[in-house]
Amino acid sequence: MAHPRHATYSVAEDEEIHQSLVRDYATLFSRTSQNQQVRAALWQDLVQRVNDIGMHNRTYEQVRHHCSDLIRHVRQRASDIHRQQVATGGGVATHPPLTRLEGLLLSVVAPVHLQHQQQQTCVMMEAGAAQQQDTERAGNMSHV
């Protein structure tokens, strides 16, 4: 028999999870036993807030799995954006940029070198957009 599919997380639930991860990432995903009680209390609080928002009875395992998926998704998107930007030599990106919440989450969970790459990518994207606008203006001026 197939495993029943759980309800999708709403935007409000995802925002609550993003904010909690940004605020408490180091403690929530700590691998030491020192903060075990604090970590358990933070997870329990997060599960309760998510359930209050979405009116679903989500378990700790479901919320924890979703948090891991969100982190993996943000890292993958940042990597894809950077890879494409490097491949096009600073041209216009076809991948949409990270959202504000994704950028905040990346700043917390990504190693410093990935954050630096993401910042460079943003600068390159802005420079590429400015260069494209200059080229378009120059093309419009030649027709005058």
Side-chain angles (χ1 to χ4, degrees):
M1 182 171 191
H3 188 321
R5 187 170 172 88
H6 299 286
T8 337
Y9 285 77
S10 69
V11 173
E13 288 173 312
D14 275 344
E15 285 180 5
E16 182 63 39
I17 291 172
H18 273 96
Q19 291 170 2
S20 293
L21 288 174
V22 168
R23 185 180 54 247
D24 299 319
Y25 176 78
T27 306
L28 287 171
F29 286 92
S30 171
R31 294 181 186 223
T32 64
S33 60
Q34 287 178 321
N35 300 333
Q36 198 168 16
Q37 291 177 338
V38 173
R39 185 173 55 244
L42 284 172
W43 276 112
Q44 188 60 36
D45 184 50
L46 177 58
V47 169
Q48 185 60 47
R49 287 193 318 264
V50 168
N51 285 333
D52 289 346
I53 291 170
M55 300 304 220
H56 297 285
N57 192 19
R58 300 190 193 275
T59 65
Y60 159 78
E61 289 82 12
Q62 290 170 333
V63 174
R64 172 78 187 242
H65 189 269
H66 188 67
C67 288
S68 296
D69 286 348
L70 286 174
I71 291 168
R72 185 173 41 260
H73 175 75
V74 166
R75 285 181 175 160
Q76 184 64 49
R77 277 190 23 89
S79 177
D80 289 346
I81 290 168
H82 177 72
R83 187 177 358 348
Q84 182 202 25
Q85 196 65 36
V86 171
T88 61
V92 178
T94 57
H95 291 296
L98 296 176
T99 64
R100 183 186 62 80
L101 284 174
E102 288 174 333
L104 284 172
L105 185 56
L106 181 66
S107 70
V108 173
V109 302
V112 175
H113 73 279
L114 281 180
Q115 292 175 28
H116 181 68
Q117 286 176 351
Q118 184 63 26
Q119 289 170 350
Q120 285 179 330
T121 300
C122 289
V123 169
M124 289 171 60
M125 288 171 67
E126 290 171 2
Q131 184 179 22
Q132 183 178 8
Q133 288 176 350
D134 290 344
T135 304
E136 288 173 1
R137 284 187 199 130
N140 290 338
M141 296 288 282
S142 65
H143 295 328
V144 174

